[in-house]
Amino acid sequence: MEMELRHLRVLVAVDDERSFTAAADRLGMSQAAVSRSLAALERTVGATLMHRTTRRVEPTEPGTALAGTARRVLAELDRAVASLRGERAVIRIGYAWAALGAHTTSVLRAWNRAHPEDPIRLVRINSRDAGLLDGHVDLAVVRHPVLPPDLRSEVVGREQRVAALPVDHPLADRDTVSLADLTPWEVAVDLRAGTTTAELWESRGIASPRLTSSGDVEEWLDLIAAGDAIGVTSEATAHHLPRPGVVFVPIDDAPPMEVRIAWHRNHRHPSTGRIARAVRAAYTSAAADEAGAAHG
């Protein structure tokens, strides 16, 4: 038996919903038809794709890998069909924390005005690859220099690191702080998608502060606003996610953070190069304006 598109759509729906009933509702099929389609796909590929229990469905390792590929294949097919029909084909760009910071709105508006047939939509996914490996997005904004081998990326900008502090913190009124200034305090980090590690201090011969785990960016901000920790992040977070009770102070001796546009090596969206150039132009223009102001 040959693999069919309906089998891939069923796999993706079951993986997303983790329920045959919910997947059936989403696809407008019966639960029995969803189960038969998935079983047929498993016979075709010769592997179990989903673990079934009485309460939940969980993907196996082959199931996760194939679901990611299926999302990318279906997205490319849907994009091709939309183009033939003269319809819009949305470009999904994932991000974990701060998108493009101060440049987010200007880049999106300029792109969407110039390319109404291929508008950009941002998708926040709290993972290191911002949904690329699972096929949830076409491109991603990432700030990790080392990515999984299936991903490729290029640097489009650089951002200053800042300390995120409770508004009543002893350092909150400073114009700048140093990495050493932060060592006495507990620093919250997102182990899943964050960019701050002990190496930031240790690579400069500074004792690392105590690091405590937080959840996604919303939980991280809540923890800091409550006065339970401080944080280190990109200046983009201050622009994209201002939070009452939290102030952001530049760190004067921390290396800048590289902003990258990333894509899957086997599924490079045709607009990747143009989007990367548009983002790079925004960062370059802002850097030139700052340099001019500093010398003016």
Side-chain angles (χ1 to χ4, degrees):
M1 193 190 85
E2 295 183 358
M3 188 182 303
E4 300 178 12
L5 287 177
R6 63 186 177 90
H7 296 139
L8 298 183
R9 294 194 188 279
V10 163
L11 173 63
V12 169
V14 173
D15 187 50
D16 286 345
E17 305 294 342
R18 304 296 168 92
S19 161
F20 284 103
T21 302
D25 289 342
R26 168 171 151 179
L27 296 170
M29 300 169 61
S30 69
Q31 183 176 338
V34 168
S35 182
R36 286 196 300 270
S37 292
L38 183 62
L41 179 59
E42 290 177 323
R43 289 195 298 273
T44 299
V45 301
T48 299
L49 302 176
M50 294 285 163
H51 289 304
R52 288 88 158 166
T53 69
T54 56
R55 294 187 176 182
R56 189 166 171 80
V57 180
E58 295 288 348
T60 62
E61 185 174 341
T64 295
L66 185 57
T69 300
R71 287 190 187 92
R72 289 186 285 272
V73 169
L74 292 171
E76 290 186 10
L77 178 62
D78 290 344
R79 183 166 56 247
V81 171
S83 177
L84 291 173
R85 292 176 175 174
E87 299 172 348
R88 296 196 311 168
V90 171
I91 303 170
R92 304 159 302 164
I93 299 184
Y95 71 98
W97 278 54
L100 301 172
H103 311 299
T104 302
T105 300
S106 61
V107 169
L108 259 63
R109 287 188 173 183
W111 176 273
N112 291 347
R113 281 196 300 266
H115 305 88
E117 74 286 358
D118 296 306
I120 289 174
R121 296 290 182 268
L122 292 177
V123 183
R124 184 158 73 88
I125 299 177
N126 195 53
S127 67
R128 190 175 179 84
D129 62 279
L132 267 179
L133 289 176
D134 291 336
H136 288 292
V137 297
D138 304 301
L139 301 168
V141 178
V142 297
R143 292 173 172 83
H144 297 286
V146 180
L147 293 169
D150 284 342
L151 302 186
R152 299 289 183 268
S153 70
E154 64 175 279
V155 176
V156 292
R158 288 175 174 78
E159 297 167 342
Q160 184 174 28
R161 293 179 196 256
V162 298
L165 307 167
V167 69
D168 58 351
H169 193 277
L171 301 176
D173 292 332
R174 299 266 295 270
D175 291 331
T176 64
V177 295
S178 68
L179 288 171
D181 290 332
L182 306 180
T183 57
W185 315 98
E186 189 167 307
V187 176
V189 297
D190 178 354
L191 297 178
R192 185 175 183 185
T195 55
T196 301
T197 67
E199 185 182 1
L200 180 62
W201 287 267
E202 293 169 354
S203 63
R204 283 153 184 79
I206 303 170
S208 171
R210 181 179 173 224
L211 305 182
T212 185
S213 177
S214 73
D216 65 8
V217 64
E218 296 292 342
E219 182 179 325
W220 181 83
L221 286 167
D222 287 341
L223 194 66
I224 295 168
D228 294 328
I230 65 172
V232 173
T233 187
S234 162
E235 62 181 301
T237 306
H239 292 288
H240 195 75
L241 291 165
R243 177 62 61 90
V246 178
V247 297
F248 297 90
V249 180
I251 304 174
D252 56 23
D253 60 346
M257 193 175 294
E258 291 182 337
V259 184
R260 297 169 178 266
I261 294 293
W263 61 91
H264 195 282
R265 66 175 181 176
N266 296 326
H267 298 269
R268 191 175 191 269
H269 192 281
S271 294
T272 298
R274 289 183 296 161
I275 291 173
R277 287 192 293 273
V279 175
R280 188 181 297 109
Y283 276 91
T284 300
S285 176
D289 289 345
E290 290 178 6
H295 289 90

